């Protein structure tokens, strides 16, 4: 039995890896799809050189390379798990962790898992490229360097530490400095090392940690902020303020390896002499690691719903967007509402089904001050025909957070619609140097110089109806919905499709003088069609509220009139109640009407 017990740590390690892989593939498919959309790796020498202008540039290069594989979720997750397995193996070799204590090495792996799955909305704001792989690769190379240090004879170690100090920092950034500190700690634990070698190794390592970053800053990486030279390669969790709690996995990661170095030689191998206590410790270790991973795994229903809808919107699968919006289990964010409204508009059902889906304005589950511009703003602007604002946010986010594949895609789309084929060729030329976006770029090339093909396409054709507005660029102050609705409501158009959008914006404004002229123009342009239900409801309600427009001869549906009468009757019965008290009473019967929205939905936060 004791012989079989030695396989328990391997089984526990494999179990955690399988659990994490299953969780990421089954639950985070759209999340990882978005991660690779927000990534950019080009197979050009210029791209390689651009990554090496800062310390830790090799991590950025390798990190962006491997992040690309999340295009196929299973492949990206497999590679990520392979890197974690390699790190665990190298760690065991470097610090001579015996087989029976292999479960201990799940702690640093779990911290790396948490650093990836606990990001949430940070994926939109992180400036470190290749984040998902960079820490794992950095620690793997750092620990491998420590392994080589341990295997060298004492006389060669000072020279090796010096070489590592010069070579690892530009390649790994702060992970190279961590490697030096681990060598300094391990030097005091290695047997048969004379005191002079230990002191010398420690002195050289500390000297390199302090001085090498300053030397590179002075002569090589002069564009780097001096305050950050010892932290190169780490993500910057700063947006409007510094969020220090997100650094905790990295701090604990470095501390765990420092403890491994400091306790080198204390973990004994051999057979398990006392199986029960040992199994108890193994089980507790595994349970603690599993609990930590599951507890800190980011959970936000709306965040994942946004990603699912955004992915369907990217494929112009509007029915799928509505499918995601039809089964909401929580109050939606405004991003969800806007994507749902866009899908209804593109399917020609906005005026009839606008309130058939759950409305809301729930705040995002994150300490960040979220702006829709980074989440779905550019997508919304593009599909509503506001190419200037889509183009503007692609450029601003590209400068602020680094260029991403999604930026180049939308810049291409805007250029094609505007007939700027030289610019489109430039963006497509870059995308053709990617691994998985190359085929998309080749498909888009058929529109270069072929306007008729573009106008008849499923992707671009509908947007050509939405170009009837003043081609200007102003400031939206990051308030996508508010700015867009106020921009659209003033559009004077003769396009029936565009007029539908103009009337929707008037409905959104809940301003009676604004509504009537747009309503009548819509009716004039759609004389052979039935007036959509929600536009009828607004006209019927406004006609009764102000009595300035004669609505007696308008052909309202019976359902519109009956719902209004029933709504007002219930309102009289609920006289004296607050709006908060009235909402749960009115919603089951009238939540799908404009009447409910007009009277009982107020002061929704827009962002």
């Amino acid at each position: 039995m004791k012989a079989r017990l030695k396989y328990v740590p391997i089984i526990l390690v494999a179990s955690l890896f399988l659990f994490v892989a299953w969780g990421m593939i089954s639950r985070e498919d759209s999340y990882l799809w978005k991660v690779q959309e927000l990534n950019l790796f080009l197979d050009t020498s210029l791209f390689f050189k651009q990554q090496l202008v800062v310390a830790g540039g090799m991590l950025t290069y390798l990190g962006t390379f491997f992040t690309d594989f999340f295009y196929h979720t299973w492949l990206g997750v497999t590679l990520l798990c392979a890197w974690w397995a390699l790190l665990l193996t190298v760690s065991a070799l470097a610090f001579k962790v015996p087989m029976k204590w292999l479960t201990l090495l799940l702690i640093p792996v779990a911290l790396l898992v948490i650093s990836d799955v606990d990001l949430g909305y940070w994926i939109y704001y992180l400036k470190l490229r290749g984040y998902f792989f960079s820490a794992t690769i950095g620690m793997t190379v750092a620990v491998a360097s420590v392994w080589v240090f341990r295997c060298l004879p004492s006389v060669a170690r000072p020279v090796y530490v010096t070489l590592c100090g010069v070579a690892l920092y530009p390649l790994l950034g702060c992970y190279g400095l961590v490697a030096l500190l681990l060598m300094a700690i391990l030097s005091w634990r290695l047997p048969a090392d004379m005191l002079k070698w230990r002191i010398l190794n420690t002195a050289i390592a500390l000297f390199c940690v302090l001085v090498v970053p300053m030397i590179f800053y002075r002569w090589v990486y002069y564009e780097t902020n001096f305050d950050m030279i010892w932290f190169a390669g780490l993500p910057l969790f700063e947006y409007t303020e510094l969020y220090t709690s997100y650094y905790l996995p990295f701090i604990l990661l470095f501390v765990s390896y420092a403890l491994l170095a400091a306790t080198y030689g204390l973990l004994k191998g051999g057979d398990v002499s006392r199986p029960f206590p040992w199994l108890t410790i193994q089980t507790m270790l595994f349970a603690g690691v599993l609990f930590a991973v599951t507890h800190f795994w980011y959970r936000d229903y709306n965040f994942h719903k946004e990603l699912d809808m955004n992915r369907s919107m990217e494929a112009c699968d509007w029915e799928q967007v509505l499918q995601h919006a039809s089964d909401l289990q929580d109050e939606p964010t405004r991003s969800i509402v806007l994507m749902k409204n866009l899908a209804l508009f593109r399917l020609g059902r906005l005026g009839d089904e606008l309130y058939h889906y759950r409305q809301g304005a729930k705040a995002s589950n994150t300490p960040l001050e979220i702006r829709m511009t980074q989440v779905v703003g550019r997508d919304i602007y593009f599909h509503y025909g506001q190419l200037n604002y889509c183009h503007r946010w692609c450029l601003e986010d590209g400068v602020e957070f680094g260029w991403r594949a999604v930026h180049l895609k939308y810049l291409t789309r805007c250029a094609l619609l505007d007939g700027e084929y030289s610019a489109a060729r430039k963006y497509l030329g870059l995308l053709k140097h990617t691994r998985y976006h190359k085929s998309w770029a080749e498909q888009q090339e058929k529109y270069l110089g072929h306007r008729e093909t573009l106008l008849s396409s499923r992707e671009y054709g509908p947007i050509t109806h939405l170009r009837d507005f003043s081609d200007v660029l102003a400031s939206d102050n990051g308030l996508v919905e508010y700015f867009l609705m106020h921009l659209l409501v003033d559009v004077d158009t003769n396009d029936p499709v565009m007029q539908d959008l103009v009337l929707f914006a008037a409905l959104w404004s809940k301003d009676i003088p604004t509504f009537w002229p747009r309503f009548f123009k819509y009716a004039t342009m759609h004389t052979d069609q039935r007036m959509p239900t929600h536009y009828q409801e607004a006209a019927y309600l406004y006609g009764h509220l102000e009595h300035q427009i004669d609505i007696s001869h308008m052909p309202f549906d019976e359902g519109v009139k009956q719902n209004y009468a029933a709504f007002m009757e219930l309102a009289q019965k609920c006289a004296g109640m607050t709006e908060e008290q009235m909402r749960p009473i009115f919603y089951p019967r009238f939540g799908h009407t404009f009447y409910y929205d007009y009277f009982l939905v107020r002061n929704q936060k827009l962002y």
Side-chain angles (χ1 to χ4, degrees):
M1 179 179 175
K2 289 183 179 181
R4 287 196 293 262
L5 285 177
K6 66 180 181 180
Y7 296 108
V8 169
I10 297 178
I11 294 172
L12 294 178
V13 168
S15 298
L16 182 72
F17 275 63
L18 288 173
F19 171 79
V20 171
W22 170 81
M24 296 183 78
I25 293 173
S26 63
R27 294 177 50 189
E28 306 294 351
D29 187 36
S30 294
Y31 173 62
L32 297 177
W33 165 81
K34 193 63 178 181
V35 166
Q36 64 84 30
E37 285 287 303
L38 297 172
N39 184 62
L40 183 66
F41 176 83
L42 304 177
D43 60 0
T44 64
S45 58
L46 178 60
F47 179 80
F48 176 74
K49 293 175 183 177
Q50 287 175 332
Q51 308 316 305
L52 299 185
V53 298
V54 295
M58 184 57 71
L59 285 183
T60 297
Y61 185 78
L62 293 174
T64 54
F65 172 81
F66 284 104
T67 301
D68 255 3
F69 292 102
F70 283 133
Y71 185 87
H72 301 294
T73 306
W74 66 269
L75 180 57
V77 171
T78 300
L79 289 172
L80 189 56
C81 289
W83 270 107
W84 288 332
L86 179 61
L87 173 61
L88 187 144
T89 303
V90 172
S91 300
L93 294 172
F95 301 106
K96 279 194 173 180
V97 178
M99 178 75 73
K100 70 177 185 179
W101 293 113
L102 199 63
T103 316
L104 281 171
L105 296 180
L106 284 179
I107 295 175
V109 171
L111 291 169
L112 289 167
V113 173
I114 292 170
S115 71
D116 282 345
V117 299
D118 191 39
L119 281 179
Y121 286 92
W122 273 111
I123 62 174
Y124 299 107
Y125 298 97
L126 276 180
K127 298 180 180 181
L128 178 65
R129 301 176 183 181
Y131 169 90
F132 263 67
F133 282 87
S134 61
T136 300
I137 296 173
M139 283 308 305
T140 302
V141 178
V143 174
S145 302
V146 176
W147 180 24
V148 174
F149 169 81
R150 181 181 67 78
C151 295
L152 290 173
S154 298
V155 68
R157 285 171 184 162
V159 178
Y160 178 76
V161 173
T162 304
L163 293 175
C164 285
V166 176
L168 292 184
Y169 177 73
L171 295 176
L172 307 180
C174 73
Y175 298 98
L177 304 182
V178 169
L180 293 172
L181 293 176
L182 292 177
M183 293 176 198
I185 297 172
L186 188 61
S187 180
W188 293 88
R189 298 294 308 171
L190 293 175
D193 244 10
M194 296 177 63
L195 179 62
K196 65 177 182 179
W197 296 122
R198 293 174 175 174
I199 295 175
L200 183 59
N201 291 333
T202 303
I204 294 174
L206 294 178
F207 177 82
C208 289
V209 168
L210 292 174
V211 176
V212 167
M214 290 191 287
I215 294 175
F216 275 94
Y217 169 76
R218 176 65 178 86
W219 299 104
V220 183
Y221 304 131
Y222 49 85
E223 294 182 1
T224 306
N225 189 321
F226 181 79
D227 295 336
M228 299 300 297
I229 60 176
W230 286 280
F231 306 101
L234 282 177
L236 182 62
F237 291 107
E238 184 175 14
Y239 183 71
T240 67
E241 63 178 284
L242 185 64
Y243 296 87
T244 55
S245 62
Y246 286 91
Y247 289 104
L248 187 58
F250 298 93
I251 295 172
L252 293 178
L253 176 68
F254 299 149
V255 169
S256 66
Y257 275 104
L259 290 175
L260 282 173
T263 57
Y264 176 85
L266 297 181
L267 296 174
K268 302 300 183 181
D271 294 331
V272 178
S273 57
R274 301 174 63 189
F276 182 75
W278 177 81
L279 280 174
T280 302
I281 295 173
Q282 296 294 310
T283 304
M284 291 177 63
L285 273 171
F286 178 76
V289 167
L290 188 62
F291 172 79
V293 170
T294 54
H295 178 74
F296 290 104
W297 199 305
Y298 183 76
R299 295 178 182 87
D300 181 13
Y301 178 82
N302 282 334
F303 172 70
H304 289 86
K305 183 64 70 171
E306 288 173 0
L307 292 171
D308 291 337
M309 295 177 72
N310 188 222
R311 190 173 188 178
S312 298
M313 188 169 70
E314 178 70 14
C316 292
D317 189 347
W318 305 111
E319 289 288 358
Q320 187 64 39
V321 173
L322 293 182
Q323 181 61 41
H324 288 306
S326 65
D327 59 354
L328 296 179
Q329 301 172 10
D330 194 5
E331 178 189 351
T333 61
R334 292 311 294 176
S335 292
I336 291 175
V337 173
L338 256 69
M339 286 187 279
K340 176 265 298 180
N341 291 346
L342 173 61
L344 287 172
F345 169 69
R346 292 294 288 269
L347 294 171
R349 293 150 48 185
L350 185 59
D352 283 314
E353 301 180 23
L354 174 61
Y355 303 113
H356 289 201
Y357 298 82
R358 190 169 181 178
Q359 306 294 309
K362 186 173 183 179
S364 301
N365 181 25
T366 177
L368 287 170
E369 185 180 341
I370 295 297
R371 293 291 183 182
M372 194 184 296
T373 47
Q374 278 74 47
V375 181
V376 294
R378 73 181 73 85
D379 314 53
I380 294 294
Y381 277 136
F382 174 79
H383 286 290
Y384 278 131
Q386 303 299 318
L387 305 186
N388 282 343
Y389 295 94
C390 176
H391 189 276
R392 172 255 178 114
W393 281 110
C394 285
L395 291 178
E396 290 201 11
D397 287 350
V399 172
E400 179 70 16
F401 304 111
W403 292 103
R404 299 161 172 179
V406 67
H407 296 152
L408 296 180
K409 285 185 175 181
Y410 274 102
L411 286 171
T412 299
R413 291 166 172 148
C414 292
L416 287 173
L417 276 170
D418 281 335
E420 298 174 349
Y421 298 126
S422 295
R425 286 190 182 91
K426 178 178 68 176
Y427 303 135
L428 291 174
L430 289 172
L431 287 169
K432 287 172 73 173
H433 283 285
T434 63
R435 179 178 293 102
Y436 291 114
H437 304 293
K438 180 180 180 180
S439 59
W440 183 90
E442 291 172 343
Q443 292 172 3
Q444 298 296 308
E445 286 184 322
K446 65 185 177 183
Y447 300 125
L448 292 171
H450 297 87
R451 189 71 178 174
E452 292 302 320
T453 304
L454 183 140
L455 295 178
S456 61
S457 68
R458 177 169 168 264
E459 181 178 6
Y460 295 102
I463 299 175
T464 60
H465 291 280
L466 310 179
R467 306 288 290 138
D468 198 2
F469 58 89
S470 299
D471 193 13
V472 297
L473 181 63
S475 175
D476 60 4
N477 294 315
L479 300 174
V480 175
E481 183 179 9
Y482 180 87
F483 179 79
L484 184 60
M485 291 297 105
H486 282 83
L487 185 70
L488 292 173
V489 79
D490 290 328
V491 172
D492 184 15
T493 180
N494 292 315
D495 189 307
V497 177
M498 185 72 177
Q499 186 60 30
D500 186 16
L501 204 55
V502 171
L503 183 54
F504 161 65
L507 192 75
W508 179 91
S509 71
K510 298 182 181 180
D511 183 69
I512 298 176
T514 299
F515 173 80
W516 282 119
R518 282 115 183 124
F519 175 80
F520 289 127
K521 187 168 184 179
Y522 180 94
T524 302
M525 299 172 72
H526 297 80
T527 54
D528 58 340
Q529 299 178 20
R530 170 187 164 275
M531 179 65 69
T533 301
H534 298 315
Y535 302 152
Q536 289 190 51
E537 291 171 343
Y540 197 73
L541 172 63
Y542 292 160
H544 282 83
L545 287 179
E546 293 199 340
H547 303 287
Q548 294 183 359
I549 302 293
D550 183 10
I551 63 171
S552 60
H553 300 293
M554 294 183 184
F556 294 104
D557 294 348
E558 283 302 316
V560 170
K561 295 187 286 187
Q562 291 173 5
N563 280 336
Y564 175 79
F567 186 94
M568 291 304 173
E569 181 181 353
L570 183 58
Q572 291 180 352
K573 294 179 180 179
C574 296
M577 290 186 180
T578 64
E579 291 182 2
E580 288 74 16
Q581 294 171 327
M582 294 171 68
R583 287 190 191 110
I585 299 174
F586 279 76
Y587 187 80
R589 182 173 178 183
F590 302 105
H592 65 285
T593 68
F594 176 71
Y595 310 132
Y596 179 89
D597 186 73
Y598 183 82
F599 287 109
L600 296 176
V601 178
R602 303 176 187 274
N603 302 320
Q604 288 190 328
K605 185 178 180 180
L606 306 178
Y607 63 96

